[in-house]
Amino acid sequence: MDAAPSPLAQLGAELCRRRTDAGLTQDALATAAGFPKARSAISRCEREKEPLSDRFAQLVDEALGAGGEIVRLCRVVEAEKLRQAADKLSPAASPPTLSERQPTSAIATLDRLDQSPGFQALSEERSPAAEEDTTDRRQLLQTGGLATGFIFATGASASALSERLARADPIPKTLREIGVDLRRIAETYNTTPRLALVPHLEAGWIRVQKLLDTRVSPQVRRQLTGQAGWYSYYIATLAFDLGQDSVAHAHLPIAAHHAEEAGDRLLAGSVASMEWALAHFGGDYIGAMNIAASARANADPYIFPTLAANEAQSAAKARRPTQARSALEDMWDHILVDVAVPGPLTLDEQNAHAASASVYAALGDGVAAESHARNSLRLLAGTGQFGEMGGTYNALARSFLRRKNPDPEQAADAAGRALGAIEHRPVRWVIRPVDDLWQRMNAGWGTLPAVAELGHQLALHRSAALG
């Protein structure tokens, strides 16, 4: 009976078969994997000389669409090499030397620790990756440690483990893909229907959390931690927009924790702005004002004007005009050019006008509010930012009611345009203010046709955000 092919032979044959089936030369495969000069590594592997490195195996596997098979076979080969090395180093008939006994004792200690009740309890909670790590560590002790022959038996083991830790990081392409995805979300969030974002954001969050559950280097862990925080931030923002406050409250502490771990001031400030929104639109104007004011103290320059606008809006609602005007002045002093980075929409001139309209309307200066609202709408034209358009129309509607001679018909028309801007999308922070406006107008001018029509429009939107 023919002997079964060795793991290295199986790997070489599988790599050659998949490459040939894909119609690729060894040069072409190396290029597709991102390393044009690595043809020789592929050749050596196919000729059963040596396996691919773990990181290069991942890239080749992805280029061939092998679904992890090439990576698995490479790891089988490495495991077989470790087993063979351990077999060669099994105790001889002669009594072992001191340097031979010490590492063996270390292995025995590790085995006893594995069997202790406390360690067994912890083992039940370990991930598959962690279980694999433990096995690898024991194999490294058996091979590298016994091979040294010196009084320090762990030097070679530590060196091999250090190399393995370096290989454990996700391939750079994966990290780049996550970064590109977050930038794309930042660029398109305000022009994308909210419900369409749910599966994408949750899939991204799960992907990064799984990577964080594996053994990675400190530098990569910091990067992944920040990325996980941004996904949590966007899920919380999306949940708030859709009226799912419990989900927002679940994700915001995670985002805040990740921001602290990663040292990301922009993320921390963005989380504070979202916490402000939950408090402000929940009617806790004093609490919201304090959240924004406190966060401004150490805020990233990008998020600072947004937090100033947040503070100004809540202070105006809380009837603190001096604080509202001061925060509004700070906002105007720090407005930014439009750059797409993760976080709330850049507080540029358009958003500054929108925030000013909201503040002046709350302070009772309808004329100033109308001027700022119209400037904001002019700058919003053609941007596709339906939520911001709706919010600005709401500010315009309030401006018509907060003046010496209120104009409920124009207010109803502007509020109707706010609903028209979101086109039945469930944007809670647009629909609820319209509902508040209509309740006020219906109580005083309910017989006006424009007010009655607004009530009909509102009924079509209410279930999306108020149900």
Side-chain angles (χ1 to χ4, degrees):
M1 182 181 295
D2 294 336
S6 68
L8 186 56
Q10 293 179 52
L11 169 62
E14 181 70 9
L15 177 58
C16 183
R17 182 187 70 78
R18 286 184 178 271
R19 177 181 61 78
T20 304
D21 289 348
L24 296 173
T25 64
Q26 292 176 345
D27 283 317
L29 177 55
T31 300
F35 289 88
K37 297 182 179 181
R39 182 198 66 79
S40 60
I42 295 171
S43 174
R44 289 194 301 274
C45 184
E46 290 187 356
R47 288 186 289 116
E48 304 174 21
K49 298 297 183 182
E50 63 181 3
L52 306 175
S53 70
D54 194 68
R55 182 170 295 181
F56 190 46
Q58 293 179 53
L59 294 168
V60 168
D61 194 286
E62 184 176 339
L64 291 174
E69 183 62 13
I70 299 299
V71 173
R72 185 188 70 80
L73 288 172
C74 283
R75 291 173 180 173
V76 169
V77 173
E78 293 290 354
E80 177 64 14
K81 288 167 63 179
L82 288 170
R83 186 192 66 76
Q84 291 175 359
D87 288 345
K88 290 178 182 178
L89 294 168
S90 57
S94 57
T97 65
L98 175 63
S99 60
E100 288 172 337
R101 285 198 304 269
Q102 285 176 326
T104 304
S105 176
I107 297 166
T109 301
L110 183 59
D111 287 335
R112 288 196 301 273
L113 179 61
D114 274 351
Q115 295 167 9
S116 67
F119 194 83
Q120 288 290 330
L122 287 173
S123 297
E124 293 174 1
E125 299 178 0
R126 288 185 302 199
S127 66
E131 190 65 43
E132 183 178 308
D133 289 346
T134 304
T135 302
D136 288 347
R137 282 196 294 274
R138 186 178 294 108
Q139 289 170 335
L140 288 167
L141 282 169
Q142 289 174 325
T143 56
L146 285 170
T148 60
F150 295 100
I151 202 163
F152 288 104
T154 59
S157 298
S159 177
L161 183 57
S162 177
E163 182 180 350
R164 180 181 166 278
L165 289 176
R167 294 199 308 266
D169 284 344
I171 58 176
K173 182 180 178 183
T174 299
L175 298 175
R176 287 196 301 271
E177 285 175 348
I178 295 170
V180 168
D181 186 51
L182 285 168
R183 286 193 295 274
R184 188 178 296 116
I185 292 168
E187 292 168 356
T188 62
Y189 182 90
N190 287 287
T191 58
T192 305
R194 299 300 191 249
L195 290 175
L197 287 167
V198 175
H200 181 84
L201 285 173
E202 293 200 320
W205 182 75
I206 291 170
R207 179 189 191 189
V208 178
Q209 291 295 342
K210 285 183 176 179
L211 289 173
L212 280 172
D213 282 342
T214 63
R215 182 192 293 276
V216 294
S217 65
Q219 296 88 340
V220 170
R221 178 164 296 280
R222 182 186 177 98
Q223 184 176 352
L224 287 170
T225 296
Q227 291 172 332
W230 280 115
Y231 278 113
S232 275
Y233 162 77
Y234 275 114
I235 292 173
T237 302
L238 181 60
F240 169 76
D241 286 352
L242 296 174
Q244 301 292 318
D245 287 0
S246 62
V247 176
H249 283 298
H251 271 279
L252 280 178
I254 297 173
H257 177 74
H258 286 330
E260 183 176 0
E261 278 195 325
D264 191 333
R265 290 167 59 212
L266 176 56
L267 176 56
S270 299
V271 170
S273 184
M274 192 67 251
E275 290 172 338
W276 166 85
L278 285 164
H280 181 85
F281 288 97
D284 181 9
Y285 302 127
I286 295 294
M289 178 185 70
N290 290 334
I291 289 171
S294 176
R296 279 214 288 151
N298 189 40
D300 181 273
Y302 178 88
I303 198 66
F304 181 91
T306 297
L307 292 167
N310 295 160
E311 181 185 347
Q313 291 176 77
S314 293
K317 285 282 191 178
R319 293 181 172 81
R320 298 193 177 184
T322 301
Q323 185 171 348
R325 293 178 189 278
S326 175
L328 202 61
E329 185 176 339
D330 275 352
M331 177 201 71
W332 277 105
D333 286 343
H334 294 85
I335 60 173
L336 302 169
V337 295
D338 191 13
V339 289
V341 300
L345 195 67
T346 307
L347 202 138
D348 54 11
E349 183 183 359
Q350 175 269 308
N351 285 287
H353 278 299
S356 297
S358 177
V359 170
Y360 283 118
L363 293 176
D365 189 345
V367 175
E370 180 185 356
S371 174
H372 283 290
R374 293 197 183 280
N375 279 325
S376 176
L377 290 169
R378 173 179 54 80
L379 294 168
L380 276 168
T383 64
Q385 296 178 24
F386 54 86
E388 285 62 38
M389 185 77 75
T392 302
Y393 270 121
N394 275 336
L396 181 63
R398 287 193 296 273
S399 77
F400 290 123
L401 298 178
R402 302 304 301 271
R403 54 184 65 205
K404 185 176 180 179
N405 297 307
D407 191 336
E409 290 185 312
Q410 286 208 69
D413 178 73
R417 291 177 184 273
L419 295 177
I422 61 174
E423 297 178 338
H424 303 291
R425 299 180 180 97
V427 184
R428 182 264 299 269
W429 53 271
V430 172
I431 299 173
R432 284 192 174 178
V434 173
D435 185 73
D436 291 341
L437 284 164
W438 180 77
Q439 297 283 358
R440 190 184 315 167
M441 287 187 284
N442 191 52
W445 302 283
T447 58
L448 292 176
V451 175
E453 175 59 27
L454 177 62
H456 292 310
Q457 284 183 264
L458 183 59
L460 298 175
H461 290 76
R462 263 203 192 109
S463 59
L466 304 177

